[in-house]
């Protein structure tokens, strides 16, 4: 997965599709979470919304107020899934680059 960039104080919305062999996977019975961390320190737990669960589409979001408090720098993130059978698996870990906001109050 490529690095993702966000500026402090900006609204964050990432749309993700869970697929297997090119087709969306039904995630309606799944539990999903995503966290951004710097080492062991939790920066944020993202809000996960299954927008089109039958097709595997979900969004990960954070409000502008939430990202405003994130420290600038490179952090780490993954998405963890628990399927309907209780099996747990995660995406590969990817970088989240938080940039300093220049235009702010």
């Amino acid at each position: 997965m490529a690095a993702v960039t966000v500026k402090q104080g900006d609204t964050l919305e990432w749309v993700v599709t869970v697929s297997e062999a090119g087709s969306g996977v039904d995630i309606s019975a799944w539990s999903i979470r995503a966290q951004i961390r710097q080492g062991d320190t939790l920066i944020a737990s993202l809000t996960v919304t299954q927008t089109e669960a039958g097709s595997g589409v979900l969004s990960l979001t954070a409000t502008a107020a939430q990202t405003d408090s994130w420290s600038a720098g490179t952090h780490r993130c993954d998405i963890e899934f628990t399927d309907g059978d209780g099996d747990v698996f995660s995406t590969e870990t990817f970088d989240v680059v938080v940039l300093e906001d220049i235009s702010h109050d």
Side-chain angles (χ1 to χ4, degrees):
M1 239 175 164
V4 178
T5 301
V6 63
K7 268 199 163 183
Q8 295 168 323
D10 285 0
T11 302
L12 171 71
E13 182 175 15
W14 298 327
V15 177
V16 176
T17 301
V18 179
S19 63
E20 187 174 325
S23 296
V25 175
D26 184 353
I27 59 173
S28 56
W30 293 15
S31 173
I32 305 167
R33 68 180 184 163
Q35 295 180 330
I36 300 173
R37 292 185 177 269
Q38 175 90 42
D40 241 4
T41 302
L42 179 65
I43 302 298
S45 290
L46 300 175
T47 300
V48 178
T49 305
Q50 295 182 11
T51 54
E52 294 177 38
S55 301
V57 181
L58 61 105
S59 64
L60 305 172
T61 60
T63 66
Q66 290 169 322
T67 67
D68 191 51
S69 68
W70 297 358
S71 60
T74 301
H75 310 297
R76 308 285 279 158
C77 184
D78 67 6
I79 306 167
E80 182 183 270
F81 305 94
T82 304
D83 68 16
D85 296 326
D87 295 326
V88 179
F89 52 97
S90 300
T91 64
E92 63 185 77
T93 301
F94 56 94
D95 289 339
V96 176
V97 179
V98 178
L99 301 175
E100 178 184 9
D101 186 22
I102 304 304
S103 299
H104 60 83
D105 295 331

